[in-house]
């Protein structure tokens, strides 16, 4: 990765031992890639992890994989039986109606929301418009997450003074 004239290599594992018992975390786009690995780690730390994704078959497979293949640090720390919960909610960021429906379901069914990780995204997507008439990349990567965040924010603030919103970005967005 090239950054300000220097090469940076990010290849270290997270060394935190923090537990997230009693915390609810929502991760968009958690059926594979960085979202899935984040879900794996937070689940192993005791969090209730909600995978908010559009492909339910792929997400169900991800849940099986997360449950069957804990992070390597789990066995070293003796936390193999002290994991959290996994849940799936349907979320298609290409549809603002889907974003609203997902938010409504989360607000209705979840007692608290402590962390929101806006991770889902598309890259190098051909130009097309969503059902809302908005360019797909812009809606999926920005507007959909913005709407979800705004809709969930009051519940998050009521859940904890230390609630967190994490927006995952890509190096490919630098300079665009």
């Amino acid at each position: 990765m090239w950054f300000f004239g220097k090469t940076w290599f990010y290849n270290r594992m997270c060394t935190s031992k923090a537990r997230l018992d009693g915390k609810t975390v929502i991760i968009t786009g958690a059926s594979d890639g960085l979202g899935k690995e984040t879900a794996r780690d937070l689940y192993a730390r005791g969090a209730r992890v909600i995978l908010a994704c559009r492909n339910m078959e792929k997400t169900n497979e991800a849940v099986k994989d997360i449950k069957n293949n804990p992070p390597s640090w789990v066995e070293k720390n003796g936390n193999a039986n002290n994991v959290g919960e996994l849940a799936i909610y349907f979320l298609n960021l290409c549809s603002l109606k889907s974003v609203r429906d997902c938010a409504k379901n989360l607000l209705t069914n979840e007692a608290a929301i402590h962390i929101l990780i806006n991770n889902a995204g598309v890259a190098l997507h051909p130009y097309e418009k969503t059902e809302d008439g908005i360019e797909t990349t812009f809606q999926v990567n920005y507007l959909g997450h913005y709407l979800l965040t705004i809709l969930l924010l009051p519940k998050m603030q009521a859940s904890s003074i230390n609630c967190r919103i994490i927006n995952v970005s890509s190096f490919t967005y630098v300079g665009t």
Side-chain angles (χ1 to χ4, degrees):
M1 179 160 68
W2 194 257
F3 187 72
F4 295 114
K6 295 183 181 179
T7 302
W8 297 87
F9 296 99
Y10 297 101
N11 59 2
R12 287 191 259 162
M13 298 290 290
C14 175
T15 58
S16 171
K17 295 179 180 159
R19 296 287 305 163
L20 295 172
D21 302 298
K23 302 291 184 194
T24 299
V25 181
I26 300 167
I27 307 173
T28 67
S31 62
D32 67 5
L34 187 58
K36 179 178 167 184
E37 295 310 312
T38 303
R40 183 185 320 274
D41 188 80
L42 300 179
Y43 167 72
R45 292 175 189 282
R48 174 174 168 74
V49 181
I50 297 169
L51 293 77
C53 304
R54 63 183 165 88
N55 184 329
M56 293 294 97
E57 184 177 327
K58 191 174 178 181
T59 308
N60 281 313
E61 289 300 316
V63 165
K64 288 178 193 172
D65 181 55
I66 291 167
K67 286 181 177 179
N68 293 328
N69 299 296
S72 59
W73 60 263
V74 169
E75 291 177 12
K76 293 177 190 171
N77 295 340
N79 290 336
N81 296 321
N82 199 11
V83 296
E85 300 173 53
L86 295 170
I88 297 173
Y89 280 73
F90 178 77
L91 171 65
N92 182 354
L93 292 163
C94 285
S95 165
L96 297 180
K97 180 186 181 315
S98 174
V99 174
R100 287 184 184 95
D101 290 345
C102 180
K104 181 180 178 184
N105 289 334
L106 287 163
L107 294 170
T108 301
N109 298 320
E110 298 300 324
I113 302 170
H114 302 96
I115 302 170
L116 171 62
I117 303 175
N118 292 317
N119 169 72
V122 296
L124 304 173
H125 195 276
Y127 180 85
E128 63 183 23
K129 291 187 176 183
T130 65
E131 65 186 44
D132 303 296
I134 301 166
E135 194 275 323
T136 301
T137 302
F138 183 56
Q139 182 166 327
V140 170
N141 294 358
Y142 300 100
L143 296 181
H145 283 128
Y146 178 80
L147 178 59
L148 182 65
T149 301
I150 293 300
L151 294 172
L152 298 180
L153 190 56
K155 182 156 204 142
M156 293 181 70
Q157 290 172 319
S159 299
S160 171
I161 193 167
N162 295 317
C163 66
R164 296 284 183 256
I165 299 167
I166 300 164
N167 295 307
V168 178
S169 184
S170 167
F171 181 72
T172 60
Y173 295 142
V174 174
T176 60

